[in-house]
Amino acid sequence: MPGIRTAAQAKAWLEHQGKSVQAFAREHGVDPATTYQVLAGRKKGRRGEAHKVAVLLGMKEGIIVDEPEARTQDQQGVN
């Protein structure tokens, strides 16, 4: 990724694509309220869905691990 976006840059990026926050959230299967909160700086994106939103918006580097897959991998490692 060429750089981390600020909240203002992420909003401009969405606008450049002609996408609303609602459309972005639907497209990526995340909660629109969480997306608005990350963009407003009320959630920092440290964990959970806020982390996923921040990574998808390019506001932080990180990986997105789907919870069901993580549980499946943990259960396979237990055997």
Side-chain angles (χ1 to χ4, degrees):
M1 183 175 285
I4 302 300
R5 292 184 181 113
T6 64
Q9 290 170 330
K11 290 176 192 176
W13 175 70
L14 287 173
E15 187 175 322
H16 180 73
Q17 294 182 59
K19 286 186 187 175
S20 67
V21 173
Q22 293 280 334
F24 173 85
R26 276 193 305 272
E27 182 180 311
H28 293 284
V30 294
D31 181 43
T34 301
T35 306
Y36 280 113
Q37 291 169 346
V38 169
L39 286 168
R42 288 189 297 275
K43 288 196 175 187
K44 304 298 181 198
R46 292 191 178 132
R47 61 188 70 84
E49 189 163 19
H51 166 80
K52 181 177 180 178
V53 168
V55 172
L56 289 170
L57 287 169
M59 294 175 65
K60 72 177 275 190
E61 290 183 5
I63 58 171
I64 299 170
V65 179
D66 291 331
E67 291 297 320
E69 282 184 23
R71 280 190 223 119
T72 302
Q73 290 173 357
D74 288 344
Q75 289 171 354
Q76 289 174 354
V78 171
N79 293 332

